[in-house]
Amino acid sequence: MAYKILVLKGDGIGPEVVGEALQALKVVARRDAVDIEFREAPIGGHAIDAYGKPLPDATLAAARDCDAILLGAVGGPKWDNPKAEMRPEQALLGLRKELGLFANVRPVKSVKEFLPASPLRPDIVNGVDLVVIRELTGGIYYGKPSERRSGADGREAVDTCYYSESEIERVLRYGFELARERRKKLTSVDKANVLSTSRLWREIATEVAARYPDVKCDHQLVDSMAMHLIRRPRDFDVIVTENMFGDILTDEASVLAGSMGLLPSASLGEELNGAGYRIGLYEPIHGSAPDIAGRDEANPLAAILSAALLLEHSLGMRAEAELITQAVEGVVRDGYRTRDLGGGAGVKVVGCKAMGRLVRERIESLEPEA
Ligand code: IPM
Ligand code: MG
């Protein structure tokens, strides 16, 4: 039976970077004789223009009927009006909720070659290897009421932060399982000194931790976590937190890698049939970069690494995922860079297509691990 992968190219540089990621997947599929059927659907600003909705019904239906989704980026100045009823970002929020993608996984690894470009001292970021797990379908992003209205005092607005026990428990459980496969350290982040949802979060984190005695668990308040993440990032392994804290901390964490251009992400749902695989949405963490769209200047590496995460989490193909990761690392080691990654001695600046081709050639020259 063929795997079904839905490709959502989106706006701006989305089509260019996903195009390269797709070709990398095809190379892997061909060499390992894996049967994958690729489908495409519109999303984001383009979908608003063509169908009047950022997440058309047919796109959502296709998303429900696939094993994994590869997404580029959505948004752009054309659709930026904050008063507009439809915004490209709504497509992302809708997909996450409708598909139950509750665990957003954002690995951050410092890359030796990019240390000089980091705004942080190399002795702080060298050797960083952490994963932030952000709860993605609850909290203040989705709580009701969420509205603007007029009150006694004029205009007012309200958002609601709500979490149920099961929502908190499942994402923490995912974090502990992951920590078990890594350095067995988990940091749970909350604001338990102020928020009720955070006190419940900490209570449940403590209960779940008791079921994983082999994993060292500690709790941090989100404000001091923001500081520790920059001061001593190497001390962290798996970080688990709620939706909005995770949104903020993951942008902060992305700085540790030296460049956003190399950071993939996975948004995962429940395990399928206890087989260890999950439906997932995979995307680079960078945006749609409309200023360089269509100029063959975009960096496809984060999208290609997102494809590697897809192979690992949704298709259970770890060796193949590792192959793609190694190919990307090799190309970077050889000095190839897209423009965003900066110049320097011995650096060869290439475009989006050339970078994609280099990665594919590298994949073809590497032997997969048994
Ligand atoms: C992210 C983004 C989104 C979020 C926006 C685009 C809705 O910032 O994926 O981190 O806030 O979740
Ligand atoms: Mg964000």
Side-chain angles (χ1 to χ4, degrees):
M1 207 185 61
Y3 291 110
K4 283 181 269 186
I5 295 182
L6 179 65
V7 180
L8 303 175
K9 293 183 171 168
D11 306 315
I13 58 170
E16 294 165 71
V17 298
V18 169
E20 299 308 317
L22 198 55
Q23 290 198 56
L25 276 179
K26 286 182 177 167
V27 168
V28 171
R30 193 171 346 115
R31 70 175 275 164
D32 289 12
V34 182
D35 201 1
I36 302 180
E37 186 191 316
F38 295 96
R39 297 176 181 176
E40 262 192 57
I43 194 166
H46 278 92
I48 295 180
D49 290 351
Y51 303 91
K53 273 178 164 187
L55 181 60
D57 298 346
T59 301
L60 182 57
R64 289 190 201 283
D65 181 41
C66 69
D67 298 293
I69 302 166
L70 186 63
L71 181 123
V74 295
K78 185 174 173 197
W79 307 282
D80 257 354
N81 178 4
K83 294 215 164 131
E85 222 170 277
M86 303 272 182
R87 283 172 291 109
E89 292 79 8
Q90 290 164 341
L92 274 182
L93 299 179
L95 269 181
R96 291 170 181 172
K97 193 67 173 179
E98 293 296 326
L99 300 179
L101 307 174
F102 67 89
N104 181 222
V105 182
R106 297 191 179 184
V108 177
K109 232 174 159 172
S110 74
V111 180
K112 209 176 74 236
E113 282 79 6
F114 300 144
L115 289 183
S118 171
L120 297 167
R121 283 204 324 261
D123 61 302
I124 291 181
V125 286
N126 190 13
V128 165
D129 182 3
L130 58 85
V131 182
V132 183
I133 314 279
R134 162 189 176 194
E135 200 292 324
L136 203 58
T137 50
I140 202 159
Y141 272 59
Y142 294 96
K144 293 281 181 304
S146 168
E147 64 193 15
R148 225 176 110 132
R149 55 198 185 195
S150 52
D153 215 17
R155 286 170 294 179
E156 60 179 38
V158 59
D159 292 297
T160 304
C161 189
Y162 167 93
Y163 266 112
S164 70
E165 179 169 358
S166 62
E167 287 175 316
I168 298 173
E169 203 261 351
R170 65 182 177 180
V171 72
L172 279 158
R173 202 166 7 101
Y174 182 81
F176 277 98
E177 292 290 334
L178 184 70
R180 242 184 197 166
E181 291 172 24
R182 294 175 46 99
R183 303 198 304 278
K184 301 190 168 47
K185 261 180 87 173
L186 184 144
T187 306
S188 169
V189 179
D190 60 41
K191 186 72 185 171
N193 53 348
V194 176
L195 301 175
S196 298
T197 41
S198 275
R199 282 191 285 274
L200 179 63
W201 182 283
R202 192 173 286 214
E203 191 177 311
I204 292 170
T206 307
E207 290 163 13
V208 177
R211 309 208 300 262
Y212 294 85
D214 51 323
V215 176
K216 190 175 168 303
C217 170
D218 70 334
H219 305 269
Q220 290 288 344
L221 295 170
V222 64
D223 48 351
S224 56
M225 186 62 193
M227 179 182 71
H228 294 305
L229 201 50
I230 291 294
R231 277 180 116 151
R232 49 181 189 91
R234 268 195 306 261
D235 290 353
F236 299 100
D237 180 16
V238 175
I239 297 167
V240 188
T241 191
E242 66 94 58
N243 204 345
M244 189 161 72
F245 298 159
D247 180 43
I248 299 166
L249 289 179
T250 49
D251 266 28
E252 187 189 5
S254 73
V255 178
L256 301 169
S259 166
M260 292 255 274
L262 246 68
L263 297 176
S265 78
S267 302
L268 307 172
E270 296 288 354
E271 206 170 298
L272 304 168
N273 321 319
Y277 316 141
R278 295 162 190 267
I279 169 133
L281 169 79
Y282 302 85
E283 59 182 320
I285 79 159
H286 61 66
S288 59
D291 50 318
I292 58 162
R295 295 185 5 197
D296 192 32
E297 276 179 19
N299 177 358
L301 296 179
I304 293 173
L305 290 170
S306 300
L309 286 182
L310 181 156
L311 289 174
E312 177 179 345
H313 293 283
S314 287
L315 271 48
M317 295 166 63
R318 274 202 173 193
E320 289 80 358
E322 182 56 32
L323 194 63
I324 293 186
T325 307
Q326 275 181 26
V328 168
E329 285 170 3
V331 167
V332 168
R333 219 180 308 117
D334 286 352
Y336 293 103
R337 305 278 188 276
T338 40
R339 267 190 37 187
D340 57 298
L341 295 173
V347 159
K348 291 156 274 197
V349 176
V350 297
C352 181
K353 289 200 179 88
M355 188 59 112
R357 194 180 332 110
L358 285 161
V359 173
R360 289 196 294 283
E361 285 165 8
R362 195 90 186 195
I363 294 172
E364 276 164 340
S365 74
L366 289 168
E367 277 304 315
E369 283 169 29

